Amino acid sequence: MTPPRSSWPALLAILILLAFSPAALAQTGTIAGVVIDGDTGDTMIGANVSIEGTMIGTTTGIDGDFQFKADVGTYTVLFSFIGYNPVRVQNVEVLEGEVTRLEVTMNFQTEELSEIIVEARALQNTEASLLSQRAKADAVSDAISAEAISRSGSSNAADAMEKVTGASVVGGKYVYVRGLGDRYSSTQLNGVDLPSSDPDRKAVQFDIFPSNLLDNIVTIKTFTPDKPGNFSGGLVDIATKAFPDELTFQLSTSYTYNTQTTFQDDFLSYIGGDSDWTASDDGARDIPEILQDPTTEIPTEVPARRNEELANQLDQFSNAFNNTYTPIVKTAPINQSYALSLGNNTNLFGNQFGYIVGVTYSNSASFYDDGRTERYSATGGGGLSPDLLFTDQQATEEAALGLLANLTYRLGANNEIGFNTVYSRNGESMTRFQFGQSTIVGIEEEDALVVSRSLAYTERELQSFQVRGEHFLPGLLGATFEWKGALADTRQDEPDRRFVGNTEETNDDGEKRFGFTGAGIGDPDRYYRTLDENSVNAKGDITIPLKMGARAAEFKFGGAYQQADRNFTERFIEVVIDPSIRFEGETTLAPGGDTGIADYFAQENFGITGVNERPGRPTTYSFGHVVRDATKQRNNYDGDREIAAGYAMLTLPITDAFRVIGGARLETTNISIVSQDESAPVGEIDETDILPSLNLVYALRDNMNLRVAGSQTLARPTFREIAPFSAQDFLLGEFIIGNPELQRSLIQNYDLRWEWFTRPGEILAVSGFLKNLENPIERAFLSGGNGQITFRNVPEATVAGLELEARTSLDRLSPALASFSLGLNATFVQSSIDIPGEFDDNGNLVGGELFVRNRCDLAELGQCDLQEETRELQGQSPFLINGDLSYENYEADLSAGIYFNVFGERLSNVSDGVSPDIFEQPSPQLDLTFSKGFRNGFQVKVSAKNLLDAPFEEIYNFDDPERDYLFQRYERGHSFSLGLSYSL
């Protein structure tokens, strides 16, 4: 249940009191850290930790961590556990009010018990800690820590994922792993699946997670039975910050100047709501109250002309909407963000209680005014002819709010329970103005124009509530029981998206003629869409340690249940133009001169414009612009998804160097989509799958592994892809139609990785992978063209790739370079998928992708034998490269970095039979970051991003040595930011 909004201040006040309680401000120091099993890499529960010669100490908890108070001084700390070599850590210095952190590795005892003596070393490098976890992990994985996220200047999880090996970010929000689309990846928040707030995709939108609230992001690339089976590219687990060892308080702010947006006085906007700055609409864009009942019918104009009651109703409905249909211009503000976090742990009722709360807020804008939008189709002579040539101007204003609360309570050393809640809300206002020539509406001359205006607002909201428990059961074979439960709600609201197009022609006398309807120019539209998805997740895992002589084995089993329901509604209102109303605008070439639109759509031009009363005859009514309900009931649907799973897996050390991790997962899938139109087919999937997995890990050395993995996973279609309705993209004019007959895909995965953890924080790794996809789902154009796109299972596809990763300190070159480190990762992928389409009896493609590169001349379209033809997967890049050079001086609290990222040309749109496919072009990015901390707790961060300012560009794949055929192009500008933070 969502806490009342009014309860948040009270909760924060309680936590602040706890933070500054006498226990928190005690005049002693703290010794804290973690104990790790050197053989398995797991944390050790119940290890004894004490100060030599005293009774002061504790035992490690459920996560292998420990913490206790001690007087200021220098001590030797003893670590012991039955069957393991004891460890003595000397010269542990305890300072007043500070935490001394230790990480200790204990090894299973040899034949002759011996003691290990080490010098104390405080933990500083969290990247090294993550690499250590990777070295001992069962599966192939990659990760980025909070330290690296902060150092790179990433503002959210999407920015951070650009630095991960094999990951690319599409559209600034969606993560593709190993070149595979979002359907082949899964996203978890603290180990629990997250639903998507996008109605058309499976992918979670990563830009809603502020980097200030992240602890790390781990990407698992090979399947083990204890993970969900619906991924092949990768399982991305976003971990929010856990409670700290000591009182922490941080307040930060940053301001960003963009050369193309900030302070520009021609920034596009429109009159929206007064609360847009809070990332929520205040109701200004709501559908009028008299139309909020979806069963309300709007009278049509013809019967209303002679019926007073219907005429008054039509007049009331037509005048109920606001009359904003065109952009305005204003001065763009500077981008800004703020973050506040507070955390501590204290003693509560004799047990340890820890918490962290965080709040983030940002307000940003982006703008381009020299973009291009173009469309082409093939000609019979072997070339391309333009359908649309537009100058494109677009501005976005986005506000984002994030809240996090993590509470953890430890009941002794063997039990831990926790609560986590995450709330994120984004509100984005988009204004777009396009003008140019279009043969689609018969406007080809240079002095004749087509003008398009789009006004849109999208509000995305995520609420997640998680409760978890970990319990060590020494009386039950030393088993560990871990459980998690979660409620999540995602919502996307698009209220009152408006679209107005018109033509403008100039005759020989210089007189302009305007048209708002006709071929290719539909009536002005107002569109309302709401998606609400609720999900329930529950899972339980039992891990039983086993001993095979001196080797540690592990048996793990458990189950999971997930249920999600989605409600999707839309309301589509058209404005029927009165052709007798004359448009008196001076020009429509620029928003500032778009003066006639406001008058044309003025209130007096809507509804009843005249009453004709004649003696002896019925009164008739004349109408100006009126509204019409064009909603299709088929486009409203309810979806339900239920997935249940059980698994068992065994980690078995065959020798000291070789271990096997194997098992299987049973998953049942039940998906149902029901349209509100009872005549529409029901989309259903009812399957039971057994998903085997085998991971082999051979330690060539203590710090070098060879990994081999094989598994079968699956990919399920989204609600949108199964839903039997069509929706049109206003700009492209394509109708996307769901397919209730879709089935899930099965994927066989094969991986090979060699990894060498040369020193703490360093790695050298080479990976290869191969994936065979059965019945993969792809977008395809329906036979007959007309811009109708659907989703189909195609027979098969393959993906093969190579990954390279290296990170090293430059002290290998010279001791003077010890503070510098160099990182590089690269992924090379080749994919092939059968072209979806329909074939005649002779094996010739008669529907689907008729345009085939390098096989058929354009003049021969429809006459080629294409049955064996293949192409790349959508969204797949042939290569991804990330590089960074960083400097870190802990003593001076100074860091700096240079970051480079680029992807190869990737297929972004599979086109229809009258044009080639469309490819997004490489857009290399170069960023610089610098930060300096001061002893008083302040830190300054400076960054410069997108220094190369490479454009976003999509082009048609047509071989013309003289020119490129654009699909879309715009630039984003350089960004320079200054941040200031204060920490206790």
Side-chain angles (χ1 to χ4, degrees), residues 427-683:
E428 181 182 82
S429 176
M430 185 276 290
T431 308
R432 195 170 192 176
F433 188 86
Q434 300 166 290
F435 58 91
Q437 285 74 45
S438 173
T439 59
I440 298 174
V441 296
I443 303 297
E444 303 181 49
E445 297 81 9
E446 291 185 0
D447 59 351
L449 295 172
V450 176
V451 183
S452 168
R453 308 162 188 83
S454 299
L455 313 178
Y457 184 81
T458 302
E459 183 177 323
R460 295 175 286 151
E461 187 176 60
L462 165 68
Q463 298 180 76
S464 173
F465 303 93
Q466 300 179 3
V467 60
R468 61 178 178 82
E470 295 181 67
H471 311 277
F472 176 52
L473 309 173
L476 187 62
L477 303 176
T480 301
F481 174 48
E482 182 177 358
W483 55 270
K484 293 180 180 179
L487 300 175
D489 177 69
T490 58
R491 180 180 177 87
Q492 178 165 297
D493 194 18
E494 293 181 75
D496 204 6
R497 177 175 181 175
R498 281 152 275 183
F499 176 81
V500 177
N502 71 275
T503 59
E504 176 184 320
E505 298 179 82
T506 305
N507 61 24
D508 294 339
D509 298 330
E511 182 181 358
K512 293 183 178 180
R513 183 173 70 251
F514 302 91
F516 284 85
T517 60
I521 296 291
D523 293 316
D525 301 320
R526 308 190 76 137
Y527 181 76
Y528 302 82
R529 181 171 71 175
T530 300
L531 174 150
D532 198 351
E533 183 171 327
N534 298 281
S535 65
V536 177
N537 283 269
K539 61 177 298 189
D541 304 283
I542 295 178
T543 305
I544 301 175
L546 305 172
K547 283 294 182 182
M548 298 183 61
R551 304 186 190 105
E554 185 178 274
F555 178 64
K556 187 175 183 181
F557 65 96
Y561 175 79
Q562 178 190 109
Q563 192 274 332
D565 61 79
R566 171 181 289 192
N567 175 257
F568 178 85
T569 60
E570 73 170 20
R571 198 78 180 271
F572 187 37
I573 305 296
E574 291 181 335
V575 178
V576 182
I577 295 296
D578 179 5
S580 67
I581 298 177
R582 183 176 176 82
F583 181 78
E584 302 292 345
E586 296 178 0
T587 179
T588 55
L589 281 177
D594 208 10
T595 55
I597 292 292
D599 294 335
Y600 189 71
F601 289 105
Q603 204 74 43
E604 60 267 20
N605 289 336
F606 279 82
I608 298 174
T609 55
V611 180
N612 186 8
E613 298 179 326
R614 292 175 294 178
R617 294 187 178 184
T619 300
T620 59
Y621 300 85
S622 301
F623 296 93
H625 309 320
V626 295
V627 296
R628 175 173 59 200
D629 194 336
T631 303
K632 297 178 181 178
Q633 287 303 312
R634 177 179 290 239
N635 289 13
N636 296 271
Y637 69 89
D638 294 302
D640 182 78
R641 180 177 61 243
E642 187 176 31
I643 299 167
Y647 76 90
M649 60 182 289
L650 179 66
T651 301
L652 189 64
I654 306 301
T655 68
D656 290 340
F658 180 52
R659 57 192 171 103
V660 177
I661 305 98
R665 186 180 184 92
L666 176 71
E667 283 198 355
T668 63
T669 302
N670 288 280
I671 301 177
S672 175
I673 295 288
V674 179
S675 171
Q676 292 185 11
D677 181 355
E678 295 182 357
S679 65
V682 176

Side-chain angles (χ1 to χ4, degrees), residues 187-203:
T187 303
Q188 294 186 331
L189 180 66
N190 298 316
V192 177
D193 285 354
L194 271 180
S196 172
S197 60
D198 191 313
D200 295 330
R201 312 177 73 146
K202 174 195 173 187

